[in-house]
Amino acid sequence: MVYDSAQLATPAIEEARSILRYRALVLQFVRRDLVARYKRSILGVTWTMLNPLATMIILSVVFSQIFKTDHTFPVYIMAGLVAWGFFSQTTSDSMYNLIGGVSLLQRIYMPPTVFAVSAIGNGLINLLISLIPLSLVMLVLGVPIHLSILFLPVSILALAMFSLGVGLLVSTLAVYFRDVTALYQVVLTAWMYLTPIIYPENLLNPRFRFWVSALNPMWPIVHLFRVPLYEGRLPSLAEIWPALAVGLAVLILGWVVFTLRSKEFPYRI
Amino acid sequence: MHLTGLRPGEVIRLENVSVRYRIPHERIGTFKEYAIRWMQRKVHYESFLALKAVSLSVDSGEVFGLIGRNGAGKSTLLKLVARVLPPTEGRVLVRGQVAPLLEIGAGFHADLTGRENVFLNGSLLGFSYRQMVEKFERIVDFAELWEFIDAPLRTYSSGMIARLGFAVATDTQPDVLIVDEVLGVGDEAFQKKCAERIASFREQGTTILLVSHDMDTVMKMCTRAAHLERGVIRYIGNVQEAVESYRREQTAASGEAEKAIQGTSST
């Protein structure tokens, strides 16, 4: 195997090959973050479950009171929060992991997308774990769990593709500008309120809703995640394709932008 | 343009390699500042050549020393070979697996146990989980850390961490070993063990790139050396000559400094 700086393939393709070769590193990073986060706590990994559970219960109780809909509304909120939590956590982690890892990147070769990809891996574990309290709440509130739940992997795929794409885009920016991490938290807050997570979709007036749902890519993605859980039915094609299409498009965009820029990262910071 | 690959026996080749760092005139660290400057059309960059048209070729089994003052471009050159940095101009060719000896603690996590860190560090070097399982016992044997392997790394002394790092990086014979000022690992007995391992690698054809400010180490270990000065190769070849070239530069530099001090004191 000869490394030749003059004969590298397109960065995006080179990086995809490289991350496949380094899959052991992705697993080790996921493991490290999971273990290191909870190692010195009494309840350990249970926090992964308790933390979102507590947040979800508080928000669900508060907002079900505010919107006074039927008794199943907490499930609506929880399903939305699981999807949103995955998105906000993985995209933020991509940034922090990359910034924290640049010193490593300057010393030893590794595919720089490893930070974003392992953030997604970590998010997937958290998401699967938080499905446990979600189904418990469904049982308690008497929301039947339908077979449509088997559709969930497709919803998660759309969510994960979109999150990875956004994570790569924001972490590219964060390498150049330190305040992007802070700025992004503000963006996330605004973005969450523009997505029907804690309020019912039909709360917005129809004209406003039309525009927001058309322009906010998280809208169809969260919707696709919620339908098989909360509504207990298979999503229609018209509900499926926008989520998958926007997820794939943003993933490709993020991957290409990130890999075109990543050669410069070791020169930065 | 037809590109020729490495000839047999050649492991590293740099062809007219330049590395340019682009440094913003005033350091812009935040997006806000950048946006303001950009609107005022005031984003200026200064480019700085860390390496200028450097060419060199290293064969299998050589211990190649890089010497020069701080900022001469030694670390930049190592980064090119480790494929961490792409060249701005020119071409870099490296055959086989490159193992950098990381500085103490780089890539380790203090809250993980020694065992977990071995696996983490191994995957950083590009090894699969299965390969690491196979290597694990040998690594801990070499580092002599069986007693502490399941204790968190924050309880280790710096010498123990360095031993673990060295053991992971050198368990399998790499094609190129990069040694950047980190040979002072652990106590004397362990240093001897490291030196023996490096010597046996060399006998089996591993190429070693060594950066050191300690001229005794360079003269003792290297078979060939290059003296770098401000991104240019001043001398390449015989170790003795390279060290002398470096020493001449140093005396010249300290002479200048002395003159400068005398100049300021006389006025």
Side-chain angles (χ1 to χ4, degrees), chain B residues 128 133 216 225-226:
Chain B
S128 71
V133 170
D216 291 336

Side-chain angles (χ1 to χ4, degrees), chain B residues 54-120:
Chain B
V54 167
S55 298
L56 65 87
S57 158
V58 183
D59 283 354
S60 147
E62 279 194 275
V63 181
F64 193 87
L66 287 167
I67 51 180
R69 302 202 300 158
N70 289 328
K74 305 181 298 288
S75 301
T76 305
L77 206 153
L78 292 188
K79 284 176 184 171
L80 288 170
V81 174
R83 28 181 322 204
V84 166
L85 210 66
T88 320
E89 274 160 47
R91 183 179 179 215
V92 177
L93 291 128
V94 182
R95 191 199 306 277
Q97 199 227 343
V98 181
L101 274 187
L102 297 173
E103 292 115 274
I104 294 173
F108 279 135
H109 194 292
D111 278 339
L112 300 182
T113 64
R115 185 188 298 271
E116 289 163 337
N117 270 303
V118 168
F119 280 87
L120 176 62

